[in-house]
Amino acid sequence: MLDVRLPGLSGLDLQRTLATAQLTLPIIFLTGYGDIPMTVRAMKAGAVEFLTKPFRDQDLLDAIQQALECDRVGRHQRAALAGLRQRYDALTPASGT
């Protein structure tokens, strides 16, 4: 979970830094300072949810459940891709005729 306003670096900047470093973490924004452009920016960059304070407990629980599911699916896809790359790298080149 990130807040839009963090000391020294905004949550949106941190989200961009994580993406640039190819660290795929599901992000839920919790903030009292959000607006529509900020929400759109966060969601387009892959945030799972953008909740503004005050929010209902159930909304946060739902967002956490969604983030966990996104993470599970992403880890499964990355593992499958790594397996495919490993098999591809193990192939021997065909002999030319």
Side-chain angles (χ1 to χ4, degrees):
M1 288 181 244
L2 290 176
D3 196 338
V4 174
R5 291 188 179 178
L6 296 174
L9 182 71
S10 79
L12 293 169
D13 290 338
L14 180 56
Q15 180 187 32
R16 183 176 38 251
T17 299
L18 292 171
T20 300
Q22 296 181 346
L23 297 173
T24 53
L25 300 172
I27 295 173
I28 300 168
F29 279 95
L30 302 173
T31 188
Y33 305 100
D35 58 25
I36 292 172
M38 216 179 280
T39 303
V40 170
R41 182 174 161 199
M43 298 304 286
K44 281 186 174 183
V48 173
E49 185 62 83
F50 194 101
L51 299 173
T52 55
K53 298 175 186 174
F55 52 84
R56 294 180 322 122
D57 291 346
Q58 189 59 51
D59 291 338
L60 178 57
L61 292 172
D62 292 345
I64 292 169
Q65 183 62 41
Q66 184 181 357
L68 291 171
E69 181 61 18
C70 287
D71 186 57
R72 186 191 66 75
V73 168
R75 282 185 289 114
H76 177 74
Q77 290 173 341
R78 288 187 298 276
L81 182 58
L84 288 173
R85 284 187 180 137
Q86 188 177 32
R87 287 193 295 272
Y88 177 80
D89 291 342
L91 292 174
T92 55
S95 58
T97 54

